Amino acid sequence: MFVETLVMILLLCMTFISLYRAVVGPSLLDRLIAINVISTKVTTLIVLVAFVLDQDMFIDVAMVYALLGFIMSVGVTKFVFKGGLSS
């Protein structure tokens, strides 16, 4: 239980470091990558909570969150580099 809690705290700290890069990032690409990293870290935290609490339902939530994070990354990247979401 101690190891899982320590890993969660470290992931949370790394998430806040990525949040700093998303806010202050010198370029738009840095901000996009930081947001993608935050999404990945939150997904990992959800899976760790599912492991600690022994709740399989949280794994489904983590999978949906990961899918939404991926779709968001693709959509924002296309919007930024192409100027819109239409093909």
Side-chain angles (χ1 to χ4, degrees):
M1 185 73 148
F2 174 74
V3 175
E4 292 90 356
T5 307
L6 183 65
V7 170
M8 284 186 213
I9 291 170
L10 289 174
L11 279 171
L12 194 61
C13 291
M14 289 189 292
T15 302
F16 281 114
I17 292 170
S18 296
L19 182 63
Y20 173 77
R21 178 56 56 197
V23 172
V24 178
S27 71
L28 187 61
L29 187 59
D30 288 334
R31 290 184 174 127
L32 288 173
I33 292 171
I35 290 171
N36 195 10
V37 167
I38 290 170
S39 175
T40 304
K41 299 272 186 255
V42 169
T43 303
T44 307
L45 281 169
I46 293 171
V47 170
L48 279 173
V49 168
F51 177 73
V52 168
L53 297 178
D54 197 25
Q55 293 288 325
D56 294 336
M57 179 183 64
F58 288 145
I59 302 294
D60 297 334
V61 172
M63 288 173 42
V64 170
Y65 188 82
L67 182 63
L68 288 174
F70 173 73
I71 291 171
M72 182 269 318
S73 295
V74 170
V76 169
T77 304
K78 186 174 180 183
F79 180 76
V80 167
F81 289 115
K82 298 247 182 180
L85 293 177
S86 63
S87 57

